[in-house]
Amino acid sequence: MGCFFSKKSKRKAKEEQTPTVLESNAGSNSVPLGSSSDEAPKQYSWDTREKVDPKDYMLNGLKDTTVGRLPGTLKGQQLVIQDCENCNIFVFDHSATITVDDCVNCRIFLGPVKGSVFFRDCKDVHCVVACQQFRTRDCKKMEVFLCCATQPIIESSTGMRFGCFQFYYPELAFHFKDAGLSIFNNNWSNVHDFTPVTGENNWSLLAETAVVLDSVPPPGPESEFKAVRVSGDASRSIVPLTRGGRRKDSEESCLFVFFAGDYTTANARKLIDAMIEKGFLLIQTKEVAMRPDDVKRVFQNDTADLLEWSTKGSVTALELNGDGVVDACRTIANEVFNGSKVFVSENKSTSSRDVDNFFNFADMQMGL
């Protein structure tokens, strides 16, 4: 957890180099500047650095218990979880990387992880995970409610089932920001099987009706985590609930893009709530940077007033689906978001092209 240096050797070397009294003043009562015997020793950064105990960043060999980390205790460090059986594990903080090894029959919540989450040799594990990279190796029978910025990878793993991340606690939005993750970049259903077996499916999607708190129950009233206000309600989830790779109900989809502004995230959430209430489906979302050349290529003829806005920051795009969705999106854009810079598909004959152009571009930008 970092390098430690000898304070004693550094101080000794400095003391040997600094005389206490100059020979030329040996007979004087004066003391040269900087040589006062009462002067406090100089402090170095390693003198004040907080000491790290590796045990604080490891959960090892536990059984039949509830453990984890409260908000503000992990503070972006890495965490190792290993050899746990029948445990409830809650990490209500952001972290750098997390590895989970040799765990059986555990329920695990992992707050936003800036880097990778790697499960190895685990069995019968149910988990909720938000991360940049997700990977499993030699795992069996896992349920994963996932938010992953890149393509999830499984290797030599079977019985893997995936659903969209659905979770809330008060500090979660800040933890996503601290981990450098966007709530709109979630490739939970785009799983790559590194070791496929002909005629077999090593992974599948959870039912749309799957309830996250049935899979990973909240902390009990007797646990140290009882004060964390947890919710698995999809409408409160920090990450929007997307349909992902499931079959669309309608052949009509609409692309709705918010350009950078003071309330982009809030506006996107407001749109999602309004469209879901009207019975439409949210298929996928992306937040990505665009250059003026990208705008011309993706939006083609509708770019005259978009070029300048593309330089102000990332754009947030949504694919919404359902019969009549294009007209509904254009109506709400005019009535609710007329003060924001947006792009909305013009009609249903071109909307599929809009969706394909944008999300193909976004996937290429993100290396998917």
CSV table of all heavy atoms in Angstrom, one decimal, residues 164 184 188 208 239-244 246 254 268-269 271-273 275-276 279-286 317-322 359:
chain,number,residue,atom,x,y,z
A,164,CYS,N,-29.2,-5.4,-15.3
A,164,CYS,CA,-28.7,-4.0,-15.2
A,164,CYS,C,-28.6,-3.5,-13.7
A,164,CYS,O,-29.5,-3.8,-12.9
A,164,CYS,CB,-29.7,-3.1,-16.0
A,164,CYS,SG,-29.2,-1.3,-16.0
A,184,PHE,N,-24.1,6.9,-17.4
A,184,PHE,CA,-24.7,6.6,-18.7
A,184,PHE,C,-23.9,5.6,-19.6
A,184,PHE,O,-24.4,5.2,-20.7
A,184,PHE,CB,-24.9,7.9,-19.5
A,184,PHE,CG,-25.8,8.9,-18.8
A,184,PHE,CD1,-25.4,10.0,-18.2
A,184,PHE,CD2,-27.2,8.6,-18.7
A,184,PHE,CE1,-26.2,10.9,-17.6
A,184,PHE,CE2,-28.1,9.5,-18.1
A,184,PHE,CZ,-27.6,10.7,-17.5
A,188,TRP,N,-23.7,-3.6,-19.6
A,188,TRP,CA,-24.0,-4.7,-18.8
A,188,TRP,C,-24.4,-6.0,-19.6
A,188,TRP,O,-24.1,-7.1,-19.2
A,188,TRP,CB,-25.1,-4.4,-17.7
A,188,TRP,CG,-26.4,-4.1,-18.3
A,188,TRP,CD1,-26.9,-3.0,-18.7
A,188,TRP,CD2,-27.5,-5.1,-18.5
A,188,TRP,NE1,-28.2,-3.1,-19.2
A,188,TRP,CE2,-28.6,-4.4,-19.1
A,188,TRP,CE3,-27.6,-6.5,-18.3
A,188,TRP,CZ2,-29.7,-5.0,-19.4
A,188,TRP,CZ3,-28.8,-7.1,-18.7
A,188,TRP,CH2,-29.8,-6.4,-19.2
A,208,GLU,N,-36.4,-9.6,-16.8
A,208,GLU,CA,-36.6,-8.2,-16.6
A,208,GLU,C,-37.3,-7.9,-15.2
A,208,GLU,O,-37.2,-6.8,-14.7
A,208,GLU,CB,-37.5,-7.6,-17.7
A,208,GLU,CG,-36.7,-7.4,-19.0
A,208,GLU,CD,-37.5,-6.7,-20.0
A,208,GLU,OE1,-37.5,-5.4,-19.9
A,208,GLU,OE2,-38.1,-7.3,-20.9
A,239,VAL,N,-27.9,4.6,-11.6
A,239,VAL,CA,-27.7,4.2,-13.0
A,239,VAL,C,-29.1,4.0,-13.6
A,239,VAL,O,-29.9,3.2,-13.1
A,239,VAL,CB,-26.9,3.0,-13.1
A,239,VAL,CG1,-26.7,2.5,-14.5
A,239,VAL,CG2,-25.5,3.2,-12.5
A,240,PRO,N,-29.4,4.6,-14.8
A,240,PRO,CA,-30.7,4.3,-15.4
A,240,PRO,C,-30.8,2.9,-15.8
A,240,PRO,O,-29.9,2.2,-16.3
A,240,PRO,CB,-30.6,5.2,-16.7
A,240,PRO,CG,-29.6,6.3,-16.4
A,240,PRO,CD,-28.6,5.6,-15.5
A,241,LEU,N,-32.0,2.4,-15.6
A,241,LEU,CA,-32.3,1.0,-15.9
A,241,LEU,C,-32.6,0.8,-17.4
A,241,LEU,O,-33.6,1.4,-18.0
A,241,LEU,CB,-33.6,0.5,-15.2
A,241,LEU,CG,-34.0,-0.9,-15.4
A,241,LEU,CD1,-33.0,-1.9,-15.1
A,241,LEU,CD2,-35.3,-1.2,-14.7
A,242,THR,N,-31.6,0.2,-18.1
A,242,THR,CA,-31.8,0.0,-19.6
A,242,THR,C,-32.1,-1.4,-19.9
A,242,THR,O,-31.9,-2.3,-19.2
A,242,THR,CB,-30.4,0.4,-20.3
A,242,THR,OG1,-29.4,-0.4,-19.7
A,242,THR,CG2,-30.1,1.9,-20.1
A,243,ARG,N,-32.7,-1.6,-21.1
A,243,ARG,CA,-33.1,-2.9,-21.6
A,243,ARG,C,-31.9,-3.7,-22.2
A,243,ARG,O,-32.0,-4.9,-22.2
A,243,ARG,CB,-34.2,-2.8,-22.6
A,243,ARG,CG,-34.9,-4.1,-22.9
A,243,ARG,CD,-36.4,-3.8,-23.2
A,243,ARG,NE,-37.2,-5.1,-23.1
A,243,ARG,CZ,-38.2,-5.3,-23.8
A,243,ARG,NH1,-38.6,-4.4,-24.7
A,243,ARG,NH2,-38.9,-6.4,-23.6
A,244,GLY,N,-30.9,-3.0,-22.6
A,244,GLY,CA,-29.7,-3.7,-23.1
A,244,GLY,C,-30.0,-4.5,-24.3
A,244,GLY,O,-30.6,-4.1,-25.3
A,246,ARG,N,-31.8,-7.1,-24.8
A,246,ARG,CA,-33.1,-7.8,-25.0
A,246,ARG,C,-33.8,-7.3,-26.2
A,246,ARG,O,-33.6,-6.2,-26.7
A,246,ARG,CB,-34.0,-7.5,-23.8
A,246,ARG,CG,-33.4,-8.1,-22.5
A,246,ARG,CD,-34.5,-8.0,-21.4
A,246,ARG,NE,-34.0,-8.6,-20.1
A,246,ARG,CZ,-33.5,-7.9,-19.1
A,246,ARG,NH1,-33.4,-6.5,-19.3
A,246,ARG,NH2,-33.1,-8.4,-18.0
A,254,CYS,N,-36.0,6.1,-31.1
A,254,CYS,CA,-35.7,7.6,-31.3
A,254,CYS,C,-34.3,7.9,-30.6
A,254,CYS,O,-34.1,7.4,-29.5
A,254,CYS,CB,-36.8,8.4,-30.7
A,254,CYS,SG,-36.5,10.2,-30.9
A,268,ALA,N,-31.5,14.7,-18.6
A,268,ALA,CA,-31.6,13.3,-19.1
A,268,ALA,C,-32.4,12.4,-18.2
A,268,ALA,O,-33.3,11.6,-18.6
A,268,ALA,CB,-30.2,12.7,-19.2
A,269,ARG,N,-32.2,12.6,-16.8
A,269,ARG,CA,-33.0,11.8,-15.9
A,269,ARG,C,-34.5,12.2,-16.0
A,269,ARG,O,-35.4,11.4,-15.9
A,269,ARG,CB,-32.5,12.0,-14.5
A,269,ARG,CG,-31.1,11.4,-14.2
A,269,ARG,CD,-30.9,10.0,-14.7
A,269,ARG,NE,-31.8,9.1,-14.0
A,269,ARG,CZ,-31.5,8.3,-13.0
A,269,ARG,NH1,-30.3,8.3,-12.6
A,269,ARG,NH2,-32.4,7.5,-12.5
A,271,LEU,N,-36.1,13.4,-18.6
A,271,LEU,CA,-36.6,12.8,-19.8
A,271,LEU,C,-36.9,11.3,-19.7
A,271,LEU,O,-38.0,10.9,-20.1
A,271,LEU,CB,-35.6,13.0,-21.0
A,271,LEU,CG,-36.0,12.3,-22.3
A,271,LEU,CD1,-37.3,12.9,-22.9
A,271,LEU,CD2,-34.8,12.4,-23.3
A,272,ILE,N,-36.0,10.6,-19.1
A,272,ILE,CA,-36.2,9.2,-18.9
A,272,ILE,C,-37.4,8.9,-18.0
A,272,ILE,O,-38.3,8.1,-18.4
A,272,ILE,CB,-34.9,8.5,-18.2
A,272,ILE,CG1,-33.7,8.6,-19.1
A,272,ILE,CG2,-35.2,7.1,-17.7
A,272,ILE,CD1,-32.4,8.2,-18.5
A,273,ASP,N,-37.6,9.6,-16.9
A,273,ASP,CA,-38.8,9.4,-16.1
A,273,ASP,C,-40.1,9.7,-16.8
A,273,ASP,O,-41.0,9.0,-16.7
A,273,ASP,CB,-38.7,10.3,-14.8
A,273,ASP,CG,-37.5,9.9,-13.9
A,273,ASP,OD1,-37.1,8.8,-14.0
A,273,ASP,OD2,-37.1,10.7,-13.1
A,275,MET,N,-40.6,9.6,-20.1
A,275,MET,CA,-40.9,8.7,-21.2
A,275,MET,C,-41.3,7.3,-20.6
A,275,MET,O,-42.1,6.6,-21.2
A,275,MET,CB,-39.7,8.5,-22.1
A,275,MET,CG,-39.3,9.9,-22.8
A,275,MET,SD,-40.7,10.5,-23.8
A,275,MET,CE,-40.6,9.4,-25.2
A,276,ILE,N,-40.7,6.9,-19.5
A,276,ILE,CA,-41.0,5.6,-18.9
A,276,ILE,C,-42.5,5.7,-18.4
A,276,ILE,O,-43.3,4.7,-18.5
A,276,ILE,CB,-40.1,5.3,-17.7
A,276,ILE,CG1,-38.7,5.0,-18.2
A,276,ILE,CG2,-40.6,4.1,-16.9
A,276,ILE,CD1,-38.5,3.9,-19.2
A,279,GLY,N,-44.9,4.9,-21.0
A,279,GLY,CA,-44.9,3.5,-21.4
A,279,GLY,C,-43.8,3.2,-22.4
A,279,GLY,O,-43.8,2.1,-23.0
A,280,PHE,N,-42.9,4.1,-22.7
A,280,PHE,CA,-41.8,3.8,-23.6
A,280,PHE,C,-40.6,3.1,-22.8
A,280,PHE,O,-40.6,3.2,-21.6
A,280,PHE,CB,-41.3,5.1,-24.3
A,280,PHE,CG,-42.4,5.8,-25.1
A,280,PHE,CD1,-43.0,6.9,-24.7
A,280,PHE,CD2,-42.7,5.2,-26.3
A,280,PHE,CE1,-44.0,7.5,-25.5
A,280,PHE,CE2,-43.7,5.8,-27.1
A,280,PHE,CZ,-44.3,6.9,-26.7
A,281,LEU,N,-39.7,2.5,-23.6
A,281,LEU,CA,-38.6,1.8,-23.0
A,281,LEU,C,-37.3,2.5,-23.3
A,281,LEU,O,-37.1,3.1,-24.4
A,281,LEU,CB,-38.5,0.4,-23.6
A,281,LEU,CG,-39.8,-0.5,-23.4
A,281,LEU,CD1,-39.6,-1.8,-24.2
A,281,LEU,CD2,-39.9,-0.8,-21.9
A,282,LEU,N,-36.4,2.5,-22.3
A,282,LEU,CA,-35.1,3.0,-22.4
A,282,LEU,C,-34.2,1.8,-22.8
A,282,LEU,O,-34.0,0.9,-22.0
A,282,LEU,CB,-34.6,3.6,-21.1
A,282,LEU,CG,-33.1,4.2,-21.2
A,282,LEU,CD1,-33.0,5.3,-22.2
A,282,LEU,CD2,-32.7,4.6,-19.8
A,283,ILE,N,-33.6,1.8,-24.0
A,283,ILE,CA,-32.8,0.7,-24.6
A,283,ILE,C,-31.4,0.8,-24.1
A,283,ILE,O,-30.8,-0.1,-23.6
A,283,ILE,CB,-32.9,0.6,-26.1
A,283,ILE,CG1,-34.4,0.5,-26.5
A,283,ILE,CG2,-32.1,-0.5,-26.6
A,283,ILE,CD1,-35.1,-0.7,-26.0
A,284,GLN,N,-30.7,2.0,-24.4
A,284,GLN,CA,-29.3,2.2,-24.1
A,284,GLN,C,-29.0,3.7,-23.9
A,284,GLN,O,-29.8,4.5,-24.4
A,284,GLN,CB,-28.4,1.6,-25.1
A,284,GLN,CG,-28.6,2.1,-26.5
A,284,GLN,CD,-27.7,1.5,-27.6
A,284,GLN,OE1,-26.6,1.1,-27.3
A,284,GLN,NE2,-28.2,1.4,-28.8
A,285,THR,N,-27.9,4.0,-23.3
A,285,THR,CA,-27.4,5.3,-23.0
A,285,THR,C,-25.9,5.4,-23.3
A,285,THR,O,-25.2,4.4,-23.1
A,285,THR,CB,-27.8,5.8,-21.6
A,285,THR,OG1,-27.0,5.0,-20.7
A,285,THR,CG2,-29.3,5.8,-21.3
A,286,LYS,N,-25.4,6.6,-23.6
A,286,LYS,CA,-24.0,6.8,-23.7
A,286,LYS,C,-23.6,8.2,-23.4
A,286,LYS,O,-24.4,9.1,-23.7
A,286,LYS,CB,-23.5,6.4,-25.1
A,286,LYS,CG,-23.3,5.0,-25.4
A,286,LYS,CD,-22.1,4.4,-24.7
A,286,LYS,CE,-21.8,2.9,-25.1
A,286,LYS,NZ,-22.9,2.0,-24.9
A,317,ALA,N,-26.5,10.7,-24.8
A,317,ALA,CA,-27.5,10.2,-25.7
A,317,ALA,C,-28.3,9.0,-25.2
A,317,ALA,O,-27.8,8.2,-24.4
A,317,ALA,CB,-26.7,9.7,-27.0
A,318,LEU,N,-29.6,9.0,-25.6
A,318,LEU,CA,-30.5,8.0,-25.1
A,318,LEU,C,-31.2,7.4,-26.4
A,318,LEU,O,-31.5,8.1,-27.3
A,318,LEU,CB,-31.6,8.6,-24.2
A,318,LEU,CG,-31.1,9.6,-23.2
A,318,LEU,CD1,-32.4,10.2,-22.5
A,318,LEU,CD2,-30.2,9.0,-22.1
A,319,GLU,N,-31.4,6.1,-26.3
A,319,GLU,CA,-32.2,5.4,-27.3
A,319,GLU,C,-33.5,5.0,-26.6
A,319,GLU,O,-33.5,4.2,-25.7
A,319,GLU,CB,-31.6,4.2,-27.9
A,319,GLU,CG,-32.5,3.5,-28.9
A,319,GLU,CD,-32.1,2.1,-29.4
A,319,GLU,OE1,-31.0,1.7,-29.1
A,319,GLU,OE2,-32.9,1.5,-30.2
A,320,LEU,N,-34.6,5.6,-27.0
A,320,LEU,CA,-35.9,5.3,-26.5
A,320,LEU,C,-36.7,4.5,-27.5
A,320,LEU,O,-36.6,4.8,-28.7
A,320,LEU,CB,-36.6,6.5,-26.1
A,320,LEU,CG,-36.0,7.2,-24.9
A,320,LEU,CD1,-36.1,8.7,-25.0
A,320,LEU,CD2,-36.5,6.7,-23.6
A,321,ASN,N,-37.6,3.6,-27.1
A,321,ASN,CA,-38.3,2.7,-28.0
A,321,ASN,C,-39.7,2.6,-27.7
A,321,ASN,O,-40.2,2.6,-26.6
A,321,ASN,CB,-37.6,1.3,-28.0
A,321,ASN,CG,-38.2,0.3,-28.9
A,321,ASN,OD1,-39.1,-0.5,-28.5
A,321,ASN,ND2,-37.8,0.3,-30.2
A,322,GLY,N,-40.5,2.4,-28.8
A,322,GLY,CA,-42.0,2.2,-28.6
A,322,GLY,C,-42.7,2.9,-29.8
A,322,GLY,O,-42.2,3.8,-30.4
A,359,PHE,N,-24.6,5.4,-31.9
A,359,PHE,CA,-24.1,4.4,-31.0
A,359,PHE,C,-23.0,3.5,-31.6
A,359,PHE,O,-22.1,3.1,-30.8
A,359,PHE,CB,-25.3,3.5,-30.5
A,359,PHE,CG,-26.1,4.2,-29.5
A,359,PHE,CD1,-27.3,4.7,-29.8
A,359,PHE,CD2,-25.7,4.3,-28.2
A,359,PHE,CE1,-28.1,5.4,-28.9
A,359,PHE,CE2,-26.5,5.0,-27.2
A,359,PHE,CZ,-27.7,5.6,-27.6
